[in-house]
Amino acid sequence: MCRCLLLSKSLLFPVAAGGRTCNAFRDHRRFFANRNVLKLYERQMLQNMFPENSSNEIINLLTKKNQCVYAGFDPTADSLHIGNLLVIMNLLHWQRANHKVIALIGGATAQIGDPSGKSKDRDKQSSHILSYNVKGITSSLQAVFDNHAQYFWKSKDLLPEPIIVNNMEWYEGIGVIDFMNNIGRQFRMGTMLSRESVKTRLSGSGMSFTEFTYQAFQAYDWLHLFKKYKCLFQIGGNDQMGNIMSGQELISRLENTRVYGLTVPLITTDSGDKYGKSAQNAVWLNSDRTSPFELYQFLIRTADADVEKLLKMFTFLSLPEIKELMSKHKANPDKRIPHKTLARNVTTLVHGETGLQEAIVATSALYDNSIETLSTLKINDIFKIFNGATTVELMLEPGITVLQMAMKAKCFLTEKDACRIITAGGFYINHQRITNISEIVTLSIHILPNKISLVRVGKRNYWIVKWIM
């Protein structure tokens, strides 16, 4: 017979005769331990919690029964970017722990503008643009949830279905007088002014009343989700702590219930730059903004100092597995094994196996100098891979030579330069070195089945020749 003792803040597990843990309760213990998502601190995926020192309460709630968590995403663009992925990964870990997850798209609050991390008011967006952005972000989120379930969830147990909502659904039915009368009166000016996002702006360029009220609207979002889904948890970037605190205070006051906020760290590279930002160009999650190949290459190029941290944050590999990858890297750094593992996992999560294969084929076409791989690519894929290449259209005339083609495509400033560089071995067609300036351009040798020739001068200068026949 088994014996079980339940204490207020800890669960002790029964011991069979001889001091061994009973098998049934060992499985029970593992089940409850898996629901404790605060273990994500070990993966550097969480930074702060509110209220402070509430970890014991949170663990007790998480292990006692399934909970509900939400994260918000304002549609300020038509796609999420790689910097948003850490919040999404947190939601996926909650989902894997059998908790209900909600992704809230701020179709209404985006019209107000979140002042967090901003030095001036956001530009007002039209309803048409907002609607387009909401659609794009919904696509970002749904793709990640679907790819996770299909390619990363190996258990036979069903994942709780994720919920994606747009807060415009509930604000359309609320008048401004009703909102101010029922919700606005719950906030105190002193507390609102003490928020870091407000103080920063007031000491700088100032803040509009519209953005000042943002914290009240985000607080009401949480109240709505609490009433409908019993959502006790909110997760967001560390710059969201002030808004999370406002929601916690509103729910405590109106519902006499304690709720909890968790924040994720801002991801920066070893050099201190924001992750995924280069010259203000984000690495996006939607393929029409950043192709699977571009995402894959961005991750492959991760600095050695950052790759272990990103494996913890952006993959579901266990910590021992990540440690083993780093040991392999130390032994053979040229193979970049952890970098490739990171790239494969994240590209599959964001774009599925089809996107991963597209990225691998494109990488082979660019770096392996394989004419067979190049021949399998679609024209649009070639344009994406060789982004920045000069594109020209040429008529395929009988007897046209390599030199004539190069000059018509304007690969060289002068014919003298062309002759010198081609004969010296610095000219390539479809990855094949061409040294004979008099060689005749032919379909079977120089032109791919899609009527394209990829021309390269030196190491990095590409031209895409589209032949008219």
Side-chain angles (χ1 to χ4, degrees), residues 377-405:
L377 295 176
K378 299 176 182 178
I379 294 177
N380 288 339
D381 293 332
I382 293 176
F383 291 153
K384 287 180 182 178
I385 295 167
F386 299 96
N387 186 24
T390 301
T391 302
V392 296
E393 290 187 353
L394 295 181
M395 184 72 69
L396 182 60
E397 302 169 356
I400 186 172
T401 66
V402 166
L403 176 61
Q404 290 171 331
M405 180 203 73

Side-chain angles (χ1 to χ4, degrees), residues 291 293-294 296-298 300-301 358-377 381-389 428 430-431 454-456 458-462 464:
S291 70
F293 165 74
E294 291 170 314
Y296 185 86
Q297 286 301 314
F298 170 77
I300 283 282
R301 294 192 294 269
E358 177 186 325
I360 291 173
V361 168
T363 298
S364 176
L366 183 58
Y367 296 111
D368 294 347
N369 296 333
S370 168
I371 190 170
E372 291 78 15
T373 301
L374 196 60
S375 299
T376 65
L377 295 176
D381 293 332
I382 293 176
F383 291 153
K384 287 180 182 178
I385 295 167
F386 299 96
N387 186 24
Y428 302 79
N430 302 329
H431 296 316
L454 180 67
V455 176
R456 174 162 62 92
K459 291 184 177 181
R460 299 183 181 275
N461 300 308
Y462 287 94
I464 298 172

Side-chain angles (χ1 to χ4, degrees), residues 144-210:
V144 173
F145 280 121
D146 290 346
N147 289 332
H148 166 253
Q150 183 173 358
Y151 302 114
F152 294 92
W153 185 244
K154 305 304 182 184
S155 171
K156 294 181 180 179
D157 297 330
L158 291 177
L159 284 167
E161 193 70 24
I163 300 170
I164 301 177
V165 294
N166 180 352
N167 63 8
M168 183 62 79
E169 296 172 11
W170 51 88
Y171 283 114
E172 283 183 328
I174 302 176
V176 63
I177 300 300
D178 286 342
F179 185 85
M180 296 305 293
N181 185 40
N182 295 316
I183 303 301
R185 69 173 59 252
Q186 306 300 326
F187 292 87
R188 294 295 175 264
M189 287 294 297
T191 304
M192 296 179 76
L193 288 167
S194 70
R195 303 302 187 209
E196 194 62 36
S197 60
V198 175
K199 290 194 296 182
T200 301
R201 286 281 291 279
L202 292 181
S203 64
S205 62
M207 172 184 282
S208 70
F209 173 74
T210 301

